[in-house]
Amino acid sequence: MPNSQQPRLGGHILVDQLVAHGVKHVFCVPGESYLAVLDGLHDANIDVTVCRQEGGAAIMADAHGKLTGEPGICVVTRGPGASNALAGVHIAMQDSTPMILFVGQIERGMREREAFQEMDYRAVFGTQAKWVTEIDQVERIPELVSRAFHVATSGRPGPVVIALPEDMLVETAAVPDAPHYEVVESAPTPAQLAELEILLASAESPIAILGGTRWDAKAVAEFSAFAERFQLPVAVSFRRQMLFPADHPCFAGDVGIGLNPALLKRVAEADLVLLVGGRMSEMPSQSYTLFDIPVPRQKLVHVHPDSGELNRVYRANLAVNTSPIAFARTLKDLKAPSRTPWAVDTEAMHASYLKWSDPSAIKTAGALQMGQVMQYLEEHLPPDAIMTNGAGNYATWLHRFHRFQQYGTQLAPTSGSMGYGLPGAVGAKRVYPSRTVVCFAGDGCFLMHGQEFATAVQYALPIIVLVIDNGMYGTIRMHQERHYPGRISATELNNPDFAAYARAFGGHGERVETSEEFGPAFERAVASGRPAILHCLIDPEVITPATTLEKIRAAALQAKQ
């Protein structure tokens, strides 16, 4: 880093702040509105990933934030570039992911004339980010970038958007760099921990539900040890399976879409719920039906790093304003109760989860059995493999049947954003090049950001993409059959040869039509050492592991009679 007392270009000052805050990766699509920043990156010790569309770049930054807990950095140009990136900002906001989006901006003297690609970023991003600002004075770059890192990581993490006027970036200033940001932590009070002990000691059927962010591997291990001491059943929230090891005897499964009916019943009948990190929003709460609002029938202990989330929807018996990391650190001091009447139930719930997540028991129509695909992956993937997906019914196979063992192995948008899986996989492999990264994508989901396969090829990132092709927007078709049976409208897809698509970019591609073909094809994909796509064709009737479109249609028609 140059002497901070020497005059520097604004773009160079900005890059030096990224270095000062420990940034190692930047995801971008270049633009003339921030050429001075690109020039600063030329000499910085930062890996720059050039993406093919700003939405993909923002998703890669989100993936970085999810895996590391540090703000993912995305830089895009003004107007259309920023608009494309908005999808990734929305994901980061709903998923509580720390991220900073830097956006090139028109010159300051041209504002409010509807200049070329002009946007009011505060208005456009104001409801989708924790904070939106524009840096008008080059001298304030260190101050405002430092604030951005603190805002993105404090309380409930989320995205920050900073607009950078083009003329400001080429001005010079002699200003010192800001020190590395520090995440502010609070801790449970002794009185709160004592009350938690009392609530647990008086409970007959408690359950913990883990969610949200501001976890790390140590916190997961500490909570696992606490659960084992208390023989407490533990579930995880929607798409948060990596927060508790699936092979732990206290694990009860995930509270999300299509959850195990036994787990749903167990949560509904619990007399105490320990909700750590999560918000129990629409998906895990089964459309806000699992808990009464505003006062749940179950006693509720809600632990969350943002005080604004506590008692926002559900009135808690005990509200603890702290992060999961800080909370988990204190659990070793809790005294286990002398009696744990729920222990037998904990064992039964884990057995129920193991049965529910066994893919070998699932038989469906078609030559390619996704149950057998999942069984193969469970037997062959390393425990630290990173699994990514977007949105669609295909993701049920991953979330129900893959048994996550470690923290930092899951990239799945709780916002339900299609197209996430591929750029998420690219971002993950860029950050952790030595780890196996497998992307699940539906045929509709994949092509929303399919161009980022070129990014994987450019940077020699041997991700493996499973395109699960049923020739339709399957989730929408499923709902269509439930509400308007037999009236197919706007859900059919005519797809390309995805294996040829991979080869056209310089990757490895194969078509998989039977269960027997999958294992050898996967092994060849790994051996190729290149980004790979396995085009997996499944029977269109197999809409979920449990039912078919025909059965859904028949039930809907019967209900209308």
Side-chain angles (χ1 to χ4, degrees):
M1 187 182 301
N3 187 330
S4 60
Q5 298 306 311
Q6 296 297 318
R8 291 173 285 170
L9 283 176
H12 291 195
I13 296 172
L14 178 70
V15 172
D16 288 341
Q17 303 320 297
L18 299 182
V19 173
H21 289 292
V23 171
K24 300 298 182 185
H25 296 273
V26 165
F27 303 92
C28 76
V29 176
E32 70 273 17
S33 61
Y34 68 94
L35 289 174
V37 176
L38 294 174
D39 187 71
L41 287 169
H42 183 275
D43 299 322
N45 186 25
I46 294 176
D47 289 329
V48 178
T49 302
V50 181
C51 307
R52 299 308 176 103
Q53 205 255 18
E54 292 86 357
I59 288 172
M60 292 180 202
D62 174 86
H64 176 283
K66 281 181 168 64
L67 290 174
T68 67
E70 301 169 354
I73 305 299
C74 180
V75 191
V76 302
T77 196
R78 61 199 178 202
S83 300
N84 287 337
L86 178 58
V89 174
H90 177 262
I91 293 167
M93 189 67 176
Q94 288 227 317
D95 286 23
S96 306
T97 307
M99 184 174 84
I100 302 175
L101 174 69
F102 293 98
V103 182
Q105 171 64 306
I106 62 170
E107 294 183 11
R108 289 165 290 184
M110 297 183 182
R111 285 185 296 206
E112 298 192 26
R113 293 175 176 171
E114 198 178 344
F116 180 62
Q117 298 182 339
E118 180 176 1
M119 288 178 71
D120 181 342
Y121 294 104
R122 290 185 177 91
V124 173
F125 288 92
T127 62
Q128 300 301 316
K130 289 186 70 176
W131 179 49
V132 184
T133 193
E134 187 163 321
I135 303 179
D136 280 339
Q137 297 171 266
V138 66
E139 295 85 1
R140 297 192 67 188
I141 291 175
E143 170 203 345
L144 295 176
V145 172
S146 176
R147 179 177 171 185
F149 275 88
H150 285 92
V151 171
T153 56
S154 66
R156 177 186 170 191
V160 168
V161 178
I162 299 182
L164 306 168
E166 185 176 356
D167 56 327
M168 182 277 296
L169 290 173
V170 296
E171 291 182 347
T172 61
V175 291
D177 298 319
H180 193 290
Y181 74 97
E182 293 184 10
V183 179
V184 177
E185 282 283 16
S186 58
T189 66
Q192 288 172 328
L193 293 174
E195 187 173 352
L196 176 58
E197 275 189 354
I198 293 170
L199 288 168
L200 285 167
S202 61
E204 296 292 328
S205 56
I207 190 168
I209 302 176
L210 313 184
T213 53
R214 292 190 67 178
W215 291 85
D216 59 18
K218 183 180 179 184
V220 170
E222 289 170 336
F223 198 93
S224 299
F226 158 74
E228 190 164 351
R229 280 199 306 119
F230 280 68
Q231 297 180 283
L232 182 69
V234 178
V236 292
S237 190
F238 178 56
R239 296 186 168 184
R240 302 292 191 185
Q241 284 92 330
M242 71 176 183
L243 297 183
F244 201 83
D247 59 353
H248 193 286
C250 292
F251 187 58
D254 66 294
V255 183
I257 297 174
L259 76 163
N260 182 350
L263 177 57
L264 177 62
K265 183 174 184 291
R266 179 65 177 77
V267 176
E269 295 178 351
D271 62 354
L272 174 65
V273 174
L274 174 57
L275 178 60
V276 183
R279 299 184 297 122
M280 214 61 185
S281 57
E282 180 184 356
M283 292 305 176
S285 70
Q286 312 303 297
S287 297
Y288 298 103
T289 63
L290 198 50
F291 296 165
D292 292 342
I293 297 173
V295 182
R297 182 191 60 78
Q298 307 92 331
K299 289 182 180 178
L300 176 64
V301 176
H302 194 181
V303 179
H304 200 279
D306 192 332
S307 61
E309 291 296 336
L310 297 170
N311 299 314
R312 178 185 180 187
V313 179
Y314 308 105
R315 180 64 183 268
N317 298 81
L318 174 61
V320 184
N321 182 202
T322 191
S323 73
I325 290 174
F327 180 69
R329 194 164 54 224
T330 67
L331 294 176
K332 65 181 184 301
D333 300 324
L334 290 185
K335 181 181 178 181
S338 58
R339 54 184 291 275
T340 53
W342 57 81
V344 173
D345 188 45
T346 300
E347 184 178 344
M349 286 307 303
H350 184 59
S352 177
Y353 162 73
L354 292 177
K355 183 178 180 180
W356 178 255
S357 62
D358 179 7
S360 67
I362 303 298
K363 300 293 187 293
T364 61
L368 179 57
Q369 297 282 314
M370 284 302 298
Q372 292 183 33
V373 168
M374 293 309 304
Q375 190 171 5
Y376 173 88
L377 293 174
E378 292 306 283
E379 293 171 356
H380 291 84
L381 287 177
D384 68 345
I386 299 172
M387 312 298 287
T388 79
N389 64 271
N393 277 24
Y394 72 88
T396 303
W397 294 99
L398 173 61
H399 295 147
R400 176 173 168 180
F401 299 109
H402 180 60
R403 295 175 179 173
F404 290 87
Q405 303 294 334
Q406 296 182 15
Y407 179 80
T409 56
Q410 182 179 28
L411 290 172
T414 66
S415 66
S417 181
M418 293 182 71
Y420 184 95
L422 176 59
V426 173
K429 194 69 173 176
R430 196 77 165 117
V431 176
Y432 295 115
S434 64
R435 291 171 63 180
T436 299
V437 178
V438 178
C439 165
F440 273 62
D443 46 330
C445 188
F446 176 82
L447 282 178
M448 291 195 175
H449 282 296
Q451 71 275 2
E452 299 304 343
F453 193 78
T455 307
V457 172
Q458 178 172 342
Y459 293 96
L461 305 173
I463 61 174
I464 300 175
V465 183
L466 309 184
V467 177
I468 315 301
D469 182 359
N470 63 357
M472 68 181 79
Y473 286 120
T475 302
I476 311 307
R477 173 69 179 279
M478 177 182 70
H479 290 298
Q480 205 168 55
E481 294 287 9
R482 283 176 176 164
H483 298 285
Y484 305 97
R487 296 176 59 81
I488 302 169
S489 177
T491 52
E492 295 179 312
L493 296 174
N494 184 14
N495 288 318
D497 181 338
F498 289 107
Y501 181 98
R503 294 192 294 270
F505 282 104
H508 178 87
E510 293 195 39
R511 186 179 177 94
V512 178
E513 299 186 48
T514 70
S515 301
E516 293 73 21
E517 292 172 351
F518 181 80
F522 191 89
E523 291 171 9
R524 288 190 293 270
V526 173
S528 75
R530 291 178 287 161
I533 294 176
L534 298 185
H535 185 180
C536 302
L537 291 99
I538 65 170
D539 191 310
E541 275 294 314
V542 184
I543 201 65
T544 75
T547 192
T548 65
L549 287 174
E550 183 180 359
K551 290 179 180 178
I552 293 172
R553 186 185 313 118
L557 289 170
Q558 179 69 29
K560 288 179 179 292
Q561 291 179 358

